[in-house]
Amino acid sequence: MIMLGVLSVTFLVLALLAVPIAIALGVSALIIIAIWGMPGFILAQKMVNGIDSFPLLAVPFFILAASVMNSGGITTRVVDLFSSALGRIRGSSGIVNVGTNVFLAGISGSSVADASASGALIIPEMRKEGYSGGFAAALTAGAAVIGPIIPPSIPLVIYGVIAQVSITKLFVGAYVPGLLIASALIAYVILYAKKHDLPARGRKPWGVIGKQFKGSAWALSMPLLLIVGAKGGLFTVTELGAVLVLYAIFVGWVIHREFKWSQFPGMLTDAGLQTANIMLVVAVSSFIAYLVVVHGIPRDIQNLLHGADLSPWEFLLIVNVVFLVAGMFLDSTPATIILVPIFLPAATSFGIDPTHFGLVIVLNLMVGLIHPPLGLNLLITQSIAKVPMREVLWASLPIVGIVLCVLLVITFVPQTVLWLPHVMGMK
């Protein structure tokens, strides 16, 4: 426990000094090595072992697929289709915002990427329709939380690797929670539009909608690749990433004729840099997780929780609080790698399904993206909307409340996560 205290204090001090997460974790690890006199080669060994995982190869593919999709005109076509079809609904651009983020969630697996892509396209349209800049930014940030829930999902891949559970089952189990968040946000948008008497732009003629649907059909079918592949056993999660990249290139280059090969080297470079950043965090966090296990902290936590005679529901409440707080200060990757080895053994001893536990953890950590002090989604959308942060924060309160309500539902109703995998015959 002393080791954990030293580690936590060192990391928090460095984080408050705006030191990058990977470096802050690395320096904290080196201090622990120096204090406890551990051989230095263990750090390098555990860092290499932490990223020596075949499923993690899916991460760069998901990132690259999102880049190809945006450059190939896929995102723009989907937004245009949603806007035309929903134009008769009051304040329809808010619903288009949520719908677009649901679509993007089926491609990128990254909340921050979805907030950037959807925000640039839809926030200006929402403002033209009469939404305040703060509300448009807050809604976009909240809707982008769906990105790492509906598969493919980078956080779920990392959890699956750490917990050694089926990533495909995690992906399938995530659909219902993701759609619950989307449905709740759409209901909130409809009430908001009605309360503020926002106008309806009018639906485009059926001929126009049909033409747009025909142009978007290839794009809309992309998320189906996961369901078909998972059910038919056609490819693994890693192979899914490669298939998404090839499919996005095919649609953007052959179908839409907007993808340019001259841009591809830049996309590869960006995907490589983003992947390197994620993998560095994974590598250093893996060493921290090793220290946690070696010092018996998971066993101590498990004994402490059982000694307190908690019920499984009380344990899940504690987990929610811990991971909500962690999400306020940590990115989802280090939080997952460090904390899952601590709490997963206890969750298993309480009879909690690892798939259910994983979705609860990931959604907890995503909440940190839409409230301070981390709030990366809010920072991105606020910069796009060009409004004071206080307006975005005030508008985000109901949205944070909606996501927390869905979190409570999936926490205490496990079948919201486990039903679909069971229907698809996954054990």
Side-chain angles (χ1 to χ4, degrees):
M1 288 296 185
I2 296 176
M3 183 277 294
L4 188 61
V6 172
L7 185 67
S8 301
V9 171
T10 305
F11 171 76
L12 286 175
V13 170
L14 292 173
L16 290 173
L17 294 174
V19 176
I21 294 295
I23 296 176
L25 287 170
V27 171
S28 303
L30 290 174
I31 290 175
I32 295 298
I33 287 177
I35 293 176
W36 268 266
M38 301 174 65
F41 71 87
I42 294 180
L43 174 60
Q45 182 186 64
K46 295 302 176 184
M47 287 179 65
V48 171
N49 289 342
I51 59 176
D52 185 18
S53 171
F54 182 71
L56 288 179
L57 286 173
V59 173
F61 285 124
F62 293 158
I63 295 172
L64 182 59
S67 296
V68 174
M69 177 190 68
N70 289 331
S71 70
I74 295 174
T75 304
T76 303
R77 281 174 168 78
V78 172
V79 171
D80 290 344
L81 172 63
F82 289 166
S83 297
S84 298
L86 300 173
R88 66 188 303 171
I89 301 175
R90 188 186 298 272
S92 60
S93 60
I95 301 174
V96 171
N97 191 329
V98 179
T100 300
N101 275 282
V102 170
F103 169 76
L104 291 174
I107 308 298
S108 73
S110 168
S111 181
V112 173
D114 291 354
S116 302
S118 64
L121 288 170
I122 305 175
I123 287 178
E125 291 300 316
M126 289 184 66
R127 299 206 67 178
K128 289 178 185 177
E129 200 168 84
Y131 286 98
S132 69
F135 182 89
L139 178 66
T140 305
V145 167
I146 301 170
I149 304 301
I150 291 180
S153 165
I154 294 173
L156 286 178
V157 169
I158 292 172
Y159 171 82
V161 171
I162 299 302
Q164 297 185 341
V165 300
S166 168
I167 297 175
T168 303
K169 186 176 179 181
L170 285 167
F171 277 11
V172 174
Y175 276 106
V176 172
L179 293 176
L180 281 176
I181 296 174
S183 301
L185 288 177
I186 288 174
Y188 176 57
V189 168
I190 292 173
L191 291 174
Y192 180 95
K194 184 176 180 180
K195 178 180 179 181
H196 292 83
D197 197 27
L198 297 183
R201 293 180 295 179
R203 191 182 64 190
K204 294 285 181 68
W206 283 110
V208 174
I209 295 174
K211 185 177 180 180
Q212 290 178 329
F213 179 80
K214 183 178 179 180
S216 305
W218 287 92
L220 293 171
S221 65
M222 291 181 75
L224 297 178
L225 288 173
L226 173 64
I227 299 176
V228 174
K231 180 62 177 176
L234 300 179
F235 36 72
T236 65
V237 170
T238 303
E239 293 164 347
L240 167 68
V243 170
L244 284 175
V245 172
L246 294 175
Y247 189 87
I249 291 175
F250 171 77
V251 174
W253 184 41
V254 177
I255 305 299
H256 297 159
R257 300 182 184 278
E258 293 186 24
F259 173 77
K260 295 179 176 60
W261 284 104
S262 60
Q263 299 174 330
F264 196 58
M267 295 178 195
L268 289 173
T269 301
D270 290 341
L273 290 173
Q274 292 184 55
T275 302
N277 181 54
I278 293 172
M279 291 305 168
L280 182 58
V281 174
V282 170
V284 179
S285 301
S286 298
F287 176 72
I288 303 295
Y290 163 77
L291 291 178
V292 166
V293 173
V294 165
H295 284 76
I297 293 175
R299 182 188 62 249
D300 294 341
I301 294 292
Q302 185 173 339
N303 292 337
L304 178 65
L305 292 171
H306 281 287
D309 195 27
L310 298 175
S311 69
W313 309 121
E314 291 170 330
F315 167 74
L316 284 172
L317 273 178
I318 293 174
V319 167
N320 277 323
V321 172
V322 169
F323 278 88
L324 281 172
V325 173
M328 293 171 63
F329 302 99
L330 277 175
D331 185 64
S332 64
T333 298
T336 300
I337 296 173
I338 295 170
L339 295 177
V340 166
I342 295 176
F343 288 94
L344 183 59
T348 303
S349 68
F350 277 108
I352 297 169
D353 187 282
T355 300
H356 173 222
F357 191 65
L359 265 298
V360 170
I361 285 175
V362 169
L363 184 50
N364 265 295
L365 295 174
M366 291 307 104
V367 176
L369 295 172
I370 53 175
H371 69 71
L374 189 61
L376 289 179
N377 283 8
L378 294 179
L379 292 173
I380 291 169
T381 57
Q382 180 262 341
S383 65
I384 295 172
K386 296 180 175 60
V387 294
M389 178 56 80
R390 64 177 180 274
E391 292 185 22
V392 182
L393 290 175
W394 183 253
S396 70
L397 292 179
I399 294 170
V400 172
I402 287 171
V403 178
L404 288 177
C405 287
V406 174
L407 173 60
L408 289 175
V409 170
I410 72 166
T411 298
F412 297 113
V413 187
Q415 287 306 310
T416 52
V417 171
L418 302 177
W419 170 76
L420 191 55
H422 176 73
V423 168
M424 295 183 67
M426 296 180 178
K427 297 181 180 180

